[in-house]
Amino acid sequence: MDLFDSLKFKIIRRNIKIAFPEATDARILGAASRLKSEELIDPVLIGNLAEIEKAASARGIALENFTIIDPDHFDRWDEMVAAFVERRKGKVSKEDAEKMLKDENYFGTMLTYMGITEGMVSGAIHSTGDTVRPALQIIKTKPGVSRTSGAFLMVRGRDQEKYLFSDCAINVNPNAQELAEIAVESAKTAELFDIEPKVAMMSFSTKGSAKAPEVEKVAEATKIAQELAPDYLIDGELQFDAAYIPGVAQLKAPESKVAGQATVFVFPELQSGNIGYKIAQRFGGFEAIGPILQGLNKPISDLSRGSNEEDVYKLSIITAAQSLMN
């Protein structure tokens, strides 16, 4: 089964509600209309009703069966403000909360926190910081996870060759503990896409072939990840060729159960991860889907501001599928 056919099968007709805070954007409206008509997602559009209707009319989209929530006329506003103040544990006053919740991303994130929606998709016109910050403050990370991270699903060709690259979006220079947590969460994300997780901890060294603090960090992270999740195949440190090519793996890491057959690639810091996925995308012909935010208690997804309607459509499907994992 095609990757997205498989995900659609998991979510169809389950009435999973996903919040869209950028509901006047043509890309968002187009994707939401498709998702609604295909009974994949029940989109919740956030914003001023007249402005959303005007934008939808310009696209020829009828909104009769859509849920639209205007923060200025939300019947559970007082409840939301109180829940936000409580969640922030004294860091925000009632007056500050009322101002912050007028921001679409804070409002949409609170809808998800309160269980009114199962997740949120934003970032088409907002920065990653504007999307992720409310999620970290309100949704927060799962027990045992200190930081969220961003993975990319890499897909190529008709035979749906697919891998997961992480972290390529969030953490500039994670320490060994954080890198280990990223590895474990990436293995879980891989399973969502029916990828058998064989996790390679990436480095410029394979099994001690080079000596440097950067190598020691990856080796330590590998040990921690193996202790955190002994049921997953996680190994490192591995160079990319040793992780990917069986013949090289036999020479460099013959005892490894991951080398030469890795499906999940965990990069040691953001520079290499971001560069790596873009090389695979531009030189290797892979489609890069993401970033898929990992480690949160509920799924909040961050689009690229360069996204097209198809990107919104696909990331929304992924977000809905993630909601079934929590």
Side-chain angles (χ1 to χ4, degrees):
M1 187 181 292
D2 174 84
L3 168 64
F4 277 92
D5 286 342
S6 175
L7 292 176
K8 289 175 184 178
F9 181 77
K10 294 176 182 179
I11 66 173
I12 193 167
R13 299 189 185 93
R14 298 187 70 143
N15 297 316
I16 298 171
K17 292 179 170 59
I18 300 297
F20 292 93
E22 300 161 324
T24 58
D25 186 278
R27 297 164 293 174
I28 299 294
L29 286 167
S33 179
R34 289 174 62 192
L35 294 161
K36 180 78 170 177
S37 66
E38 294 173 15
E39 299 184 272
L40 297 173
I41 287 172
D42 187 2
V44 176
L45 306 179
I46 299 169
N48 178 271
L49 176 60
E51 292 177 0
I52 294 172
E53 287 180 337
K54 180 180 179 181
S57 177
R59 279 291 313 266
I61 295 171
L63 295 177
E64 286 84 359
N65 297 318
F66 278 82
T67 300
I68 301 173
I69 300 179
D70 185 343
D72 290 332
H73 303 283
F74 182 48
D75 58 6
R76 295 175 64 179
W77 176 256
D78 290 342
E79 179 188 350
M80 177 181 281
V81 171
F84 183 57
V85 171
E86 192 281 330
R87 186 61 166 167
R88 298 295 290 134
K89 299 188 183 301
K91 296 178 181 178
V92 174
S93 68
K94 180 176 182 291
E95 292 73 21
D96 288 338
E98 289 176 337
K99 292 177 183 177
M100 294 173 74
L101 289 171
K102 294 297 183 181
D103 177 277
E104 303 99 322
N105 281 321
Y106 274 97
F107 186 88
T109 303
M110 278 301 296
L111 288 181
T112 299
Y113 174 67
M114 294 169 69
I116 297 169
T117 59
E118 278 74 49
M120 184 181 86
V121 174
S122 188
I125 57 177
H126 289 91
S127 69
T128 293
D130 289 340
T131 302
V132 174
R133 190 179 305 108
L136 295 177
Q137 293 176 356
I138 299 166
I139 302 298
K140 301 187 179 181
T141 55
K142 298 174 185 176
V145 179
S146 59
R147 288 172 174 253
T148 188
S149 54
F152 278 84
L153 177 65
M154 310 299 294
V155 183
R156 180 170 66 179
R158 291 183 179 179
D159 59 352
Q160 294 282 289
E161 181 184 3
K162 53 190 177 181
Y163 304 96
L164 198 80
F165 284 14
S166 183
D167 173 11
C168 305
I170 304 292
N171 297 286
V172 175
N173 190 20
N175 62 33
Q177 176 67 36
E178 293 162 349
L179 194 59
E181 293 170 6
I182 290 168
V184 175
E185 289 304 306
S186 298
K188 295 175 183 177
T189 300
E191 290 179 318
L192 174 66
F193 301 111
D194 300 320
I195 298 172
E196 181 183 357
K198 297 180 181 179
V199 183
M201 308 295 283
M202 306 306 297
S203 177
F204 60 84
S205 167
T206 297
K207 298 295 184 179
S209 64
K211 304 293 183 183
E214 292 84 357
V215 175
E216 293 171 8
K217 181 183 82 168
V218 177
E220 182 183 357
T222 301
K223 292 178 183 178
I224 296 170
Q226 291 168 341
E227 292 169 0
L228 288 174
D231 293 336
Y232 285 127
L233 291 177
I234 302 172
D235 201 12
E237 81 283 4
L238 295 171
Q239 293 165 285
F240 185 84
D241 56 355
Y244 184 65
I245 301 173
V248 177
Q250 282 297 312
L251 293 172
K252 293 187 174 184
E255 304 300 320
S256 175
K257 295 181 180 179
V258 171
Q261 51 187 323
T263 57
V264 178
F265 298 84
V266 178
F267 294 88
E269 37 70 44
L270 185 58
Q271 284 199 104
S272 57
N274 190 269
I275 292 167
Y277 99 80
K278 289 183 177 179
I279 288 175
Q281 180 185 35
R282 301 300 181 179
F283 281 7
F286 279 87
E287 180 183 4
I289 301 167
I292 301 158
L293 297 188
Q294 307 177 136
L296 292 168
N297 281 305
K298 293 187 178 183
I300 305 293
S301 291
D302 175 39
L303 293 158
S304 165
R305 279 172 285 180
S307 300
N308 57 32
E309 181 181 309
E310 185 70 12
D311 296 327
V312 179
Y313 175 81
K314 288 180 175 179
L315 194 58
S316 299
I317 290 170
I318 290 170
T319 306
Q322 280 183 297
S323 75
L324 302 177
M325 298 173 61
N326 292 291

